Amino acid sequence: MIGPVDVQRWQAAAVPWWVTKVGLVGGWIAAFYFALSANEAPCTTAQPCLPDPLFSLAVVPLLATPLLLVFNRVLTGCAMGVLFGAMDIALDSSAVANTAFGLHAAACALVAAWTVRSRADQHETAGSALVSLPDLPPQRGVLRVVAVLLVVFGFLTFVQYSLINDEIEQHVAKASRVEAEVVEIKNTGEVWVELPDRQRTAFQPLAPETYHVGDGVPVLADGTWVRMENEPENVTWLLIIGGSAVFFAIMLAARERRRRALWSGPVKAIRVQAHQIGPRRILLRHGKKDVATVTTLVDLGLEEPLYHDTEQFGRVWRGEEDPPLRHDPVEVLVAGEWHHGGQVALLVEGEVVATSTLSRVRPRHTVHSAHLPGVPVTAGTPVELPHAIWPGDRRRVEGAALLLGAAGALVALKYYPELIVLGLIGVQCVLSAVTRFQPMLRLDHNSVVLYTGIFTYRVPWALLHGVRRSGPQLMLAFGPHGDVLTTPHLPDDEAGEKLMWARARSLIAEHSGERVTRRLNISVLAGAVYAALVLFI
């Protein structure tokens, strides 16, 4: 087994998580802001804003960089940051953008070198035991099919771009240059012009605020086909979509290749304890030292259940009965790339039961004694029902800030619609903001309602096993399977006692046929409305 000192050295060799998720992602946001703030030359007939297919393809690594870094694809994210920095310097004439993304690319290169060295140190610290995986690698599955479909979709998108671009060039070749007059400007950014033949059409220029009613606008007209001469039609967004599809397919193929490479020869292996901390998440430990977590596609069922039935679990959860003795944890052999982000295979009794990626241990992955967090809460403070527990001032301020961030993303998308990543960030801000203006718990005569980010649970009192307090948070166990939900930081210090009092009061009466229900939170509807605004406005 890996020793305790080795575990500490192995963890110490890793690059801190905030370097990528805070440092590089924050640097990307700053670089993006300075690039947008830089003064750009206006589009004129002498120097029209021509579509740039190559720079449109460069948008793919631009948008991929923060997403990859946030989802722990460090080396790939750093590579995309360096690639876009080089392409921006080569293709963009803005000195401010060149400097901003050049500095970000340099930071990405340094972090990439640090990560490579860190992973080598982790791999060396993990020991020297080597094993060869049994049998043959698993058959290529769904990921391969998805990758092929993405490549086909990307190819068809490129073909569509080529056909549309050829059609535009044919119109331009036959078009005549005429002077149109601006007759209306709408708040949506549409500029309506009228041609000498009384034909009217609308444009959405890059800077609609520079146009005024009565201005002359040079346009190219070929029958009903009319386009501005200083801002030719730009369909390079098709290249962005196609390039993104192909890039994602390459990532899936590379992941599959790394997974199958585990069977190409002897790989490093370590025997550790496996603790199930979720339906598909496993914590790898040595003694009391947490090493890493892995996520599998299915529940492997490595640990035997501690409780005979739900009633016993409820009594133990409420502190009415001592917890049962824990079974000895299952030991698994973890073989492969022994570093954060590495591909590994999990072996039980000589058989490969899953392949996964080694991930960092987060505070939420802590394994508690006998699966019991915190201390049980007993019935205490009476409360008049119905009763709601609302967020504190701090969470309301956070909600207001998130709403402002979502509004800012929507405004930025109005002027830079190709930066769809801002829309994704805005949706997340809306989802998080709405939950900060909802009750955290609502108690009534028949049930307790739990408001989470995505779902709202209604739990009848008869199906609530009890409440345990862990610091400022409450953990509620409910339902026939003993599901557990953790509340955020509650501003009411006696919320747990109030909840257990309401439960004790309700259990005096019998409530038959009730069950736990779950429905989508209103935040999901708000997020959908915001997404519709992103797509259609």
Side-chain angles (χ1 to χ4, degrees):
M1 274 193 187
I2 186 171
V5 176
D6 291 330
V7 173
Q8 293 174 358
R9 290 176 54 205
W10 189 82
Q11 296 283 13
V15 175
W17 66 270
W18 54 265
V19 171
T20 53
K21 289 193 174 183
V22 177
L24 290 185
V25 174
W28 181 90
I29 294 174
F32 188 77
Y33 171 78
F34 283 116
L36 289 182
S37 302
N39 293 325
E40 297 182 357
C43 304
T44 64
T45 53
Q47 292 183 333
C49 297
L50 298 175
D52 190 339
L54 186 58
F55 192 82
S56 297
L57 290 175
V59 172
V60 175
L62 168 66
L63 302 181
T65 299
L67 294 176
L68 291 169
L69 293 174
V70 166
F71 288 101
N72 298 319
R73 301 293 185 262
V74 179
L75 288 181
T76 310
C78 288
M80 293 299 100
V82 172
L83 175 61
F84 180 77
M87 296 184 74
D88 187 81
I89 292 174
L91 303 175
D92 195 348
S93 59
S94 172
V96 175
N98 293 165
T99 302
F101 283 110
L103 291 175
H104 184 259
C108 287
L110 289 175
V111 173
W114 184 5
T115 301
V116 171
R117 180 60 185 174
S118 164
R119 292 184 173 184
D121 291 343
Q122 282 189 301
H123 198 71
E124 180 181 357
T125 305
S128 58
L130 299 176
V131 300
S132 294
L133 298 185
D135 303 325
L136 297 174
Q139 296 294 325
R140 294 180 174 89
V142 177
L143 290 183
R144 184 184 186 185
V145 176
V146 173
V148 172
L149 292 176
L150 286 172
V151 170
V152 172
F153 174 77
F155 173 75
L156 293 177
T157 306
F158 291 145
V159 171
Q160 180 72 5
Y161 166 78
S162 179
L163 294 175
I164 295 177
N165 195 55
D166 289 344
E167 182 180 353
I168 292 173
E169 290 180 351
Q170 292 175 6
H171 281 298
V172 171
K174 296 186 295 182
S176 56
R177 184 181 184 278
V178 296
E179 192 79 10
E181 181 183 354
V182 177
V183 293
E184 185 181 1
I185 299 176
K186 295 187 176 180
N187 293 332
T188 57
E190 285 187 343
V191 176
W192 284 81
V193 301
E194 183 178 284
L195 276 65
D197 60 1
R198 301 299 182 183
Q199 177 184 349
R200 289 194 175 192
T201 189
F203 300 117
Q204 288 186 321
L206 297 176
E209 67 278 0
T210 62
Y211 293 84
H212 304 88
V213 175
D215 289 349
V217 178
V219 298
L220 297 175
D222 178 25
T224 58
W225 184 90
V226 181
R227 294 295 182 271
M228 299 175 68
E229 187 176 5
N230 60 335
E231 294 185 29
E233 185 175 1
N234 188 351
V235 292
T236 54
W237 56 271
L238 287 169
L239 296 178
I240 299 176
I241 295 176
S244 300
V246 173
F247 173 73
F248 191 44
I250 293 173
M251 284 195 60
L252 292 179
R255 181 183 177 88
E256 179 71 8
R257 182 181 179 86
R258 284 178 61 197
R259 184 174 72 103
R260 296 177 65 83
L262 298 175
W263 277 263
S264 62
V267 290
K268 185 160 294 188
I270 298 173
R271 189 170 295 279
V272 293
Q273 299 168 353
H275 295 264
Q276 200 95 28
I277 55 176
R280 294 176 297 277
R281 185 178 292 275
I282 297 169
L283 176 66
L284 306 178
R285 306 185 79 187
H286 174 271
K288 296 182 179 180
K289 296 290 184 181
D290 299 337
V291 181
T293 61
V294 293
T295 302
T296 60
L297 296 177
V298 296
D299 186 358
L300 302 181
L302 295 178
E303 290 188 345
E304 298 180 16
L306 284 174
Y307 307 99
H308 298 300
D309 49 36
T310 306
E311 286 74 16
Q312 183 193 15
F313 168 76
R315 292 192 299 271
V316 173
W317 184 265
R318 293 188 296 272
E320 300 170 359
E321 181 180 316
D322 292 334
L325 295 176
R326 297 196 61 176
H327 303 292
D328 293 333
V330 176
E331 289 192 350
V332 298
L333 191 67
V334 181
E337 303 169 338
W338 255 95
H339 55 73
H340 288 147
Q343 289 291 309
V344 293
L346 279 63
L347 291 86
V348 177
E349 297 181 353
E351 290 189 22
V352 176
V353 295
T355 56
S356 186
T357 304
L358 281 185
S359 302
R360 297 176 185 272
V361 178
R362 301 297 184 200
R364 66 178 182 272
H365 299 152
T366 301
V367 174
H368 303 276
S369 176
H371 298 302
L372 295 176
V375 295
V377 177
T378 57
T381 308
V383 64
E384 184 178 351
L385 300 178
H387 177 74
I389 299 174
W390 291 86
D393 293 337
R394 178 178 177 180
R395 285 182 64 83
R396 290 193 180 95
V397 171
E398 292 174 355
L402 288 168
L403 287 178
L404 289 175
L410 199 61
V411 172
L413 275 170
K414 181 65 180 178
Y415 297 99
Y416 304 96
E418 67 275 7
L419 300 178
I420 193 64
V421 68
L422 294 178
L424 300 177
I425 295 173
V427 170
Q428 182 61 50
C429 288
V430 169
L431 291 175
S432 300
V434 173
T435 59
R436 284 163 169 78
F437 294 102
Q438 288 181 306
M440 306 174 83
L441 293 173
R442 187 182 294 277
L443 318 178
D444 58 34
H445 295 281
N446 299 319
S447 61
V448 55
V449 181
L450 314 174
Y451 294 88
T452 66
I454 302 297
F455 296 106
T456 298
Y457 294 83
R458 180 187 173 276
V459 182
W461 292 117
L463 296 180
L464 179 69
H465 302 301
V467 180
R468 298 180 73 90
R469 177 179 285 113
S470 179
Q473 297 175 308
L474 297 180
M475 297 186 177
L476 284 66
F478 61 91
H481 304 293
D483 298 327
V484 177
L485 281 181
T486 303
T487 69
H489 186 164
L490 295 173
D492 188 347
D493 295 335
E494 297 183 343
E497 285 76 5
K498 293 177 180 178
L499 199 152
M500 289 300 290
W501 178 87
R503 175 183 179 274
R505 179 182 181 276
S506 173
L507 292 182
I508 297 175
E510 293 186 3
H511 301 280
S512 59
E514 293 183 308
R515 60 186 179 87
V516 176
T517 58
R518 186 183 73 172
R519 58 182 175 82
L520 290 176
N521 197 326
I522 189 65
S523 62
V524 177
L525 176 61
V529 171
Y530 184 91
L533 292 175
V534 170
L535 294 176
F536 301 111
I537 293 184

